[in-house]
Every structure is written in C-alpha cells, then in structure tokens.
Amino acid sequence: MKRNILSTLLIVTPLILASPVMAGNPAQVQKLLETGQCKACDLSNEDLRYAHLIGADLRDANLQGANLTEANLEGADLTGANLKGADLTGAMVTNASLNDANLDNVNFTQAMIYDADVTGASMENLNITNAQIYNTGIGIGGEEP
C-alpha cells in the first residue's frame, strides 16, 4: 500500500508543481509554428525556444522580450520586427533579413549570425558575447567584423 502511494506521489507531484508555458496569443504562436507565416503578429514575451523558423515571414512582428534561445531563423524575414530585449542565445540567424528591425538590448550570446542584412536596424546595447558573426554589419564599436 505504501509503495502504491509513493508511486502515485512520484507521478502526480511533478504534474502539480509544473508551471505550464502560458502563451499570450496561442493562436498566433500556433500559426507561426505550423505555417511559418506570422506577419505583424504579436509574439511579445513568447517562449519560442528551439523553434524551427526557417524561412519564416515575421515582417513587422512584435517579438519584444521573446525567448528565441537556440531557435533556427535561417532565411527568416524579420524586416521591421521589434526584437527589443529578445533572447537569441545560441540562435542560428543565417541569411536572415533584419532590415529596419529593433535589435536594442538583444542577447546574441553564442549566436551564429551569418550573411544577415541589418540595414537600418537599431542595435543599441547588443550582447554579442562569443557570437559568431560573418558578413553581417554587427560589430564592437560600430565597426563591421
């Protein structure tokens, strides 16, 4: 009997204590993940860790404060997107368009940023610690690497 109670507690306790991820706009998150299309969506503060967003259309999307840790944004169009304060730690940002995007306070720690277009982007206070940046206009002191 004690063994059954202990087994039940071991199974149920993590379910009770687990804090579910609450999406601010689950329909838009689902649309993005299923179709790769979410132009002008509000994805602020969303948890998009490890998301495969290859070629995604995120033009003018609000991704302020979003968690994009280790997301794959290869070929994504983020033209005019607001990524202020977003976490892109370890993200793959290859051949992406970040034209006129707000990249202020973005965490690009250990990100791989290759051939990304950042023309007209706001880039105040970026964290590029251990980032790999090639053929992209992001650098220390305003100098292209």
Side-chain angles (χ1 to χ4, degrees), residues 50-101:
Y50 314 109
H52 292 276
L53 302 174
I54 299 168
D57 183 357
L58 289 161
R59 290 174 289 164
D60 299 313
N62 182 3
L63 290 152
Q64 184 171 347
N67 186 348
L68 291 154
T69 300
E70 295 189 34
N72 188 338
L73 292 160
E74 184 176 354
D77 190 350
L78 292 142
T79 300
N82 179 8
L83 288 124
K84 185 175 183 175
D87 188 353
L88 279 88
T89 300
M92 172 67 80
V93 187
T94 303
N95 296 312
S97 175
L98 296 161
N99 296 323
D100 301 316

Side-chain angles (χ1 to χ4, degrees), residues 16-49:
I16 293 170
L17 296 177
S19 56
V21 175
M22 300 302 280
N25 194 333
Q28 290 187 352
V29 171
Q30 184 175 1
K31 174 184 175 183
L32 172 63
L33 296 176
E34 289 178 0
T35 68
Q37 306 295 312
C38 210
K39 183 178 177 188
C41 284
D42 182 4
L43 302 167
S44 56
N45 299 308
E46 292 294 346
D47 185 353
L48 297 166
R49 287 176 289 172

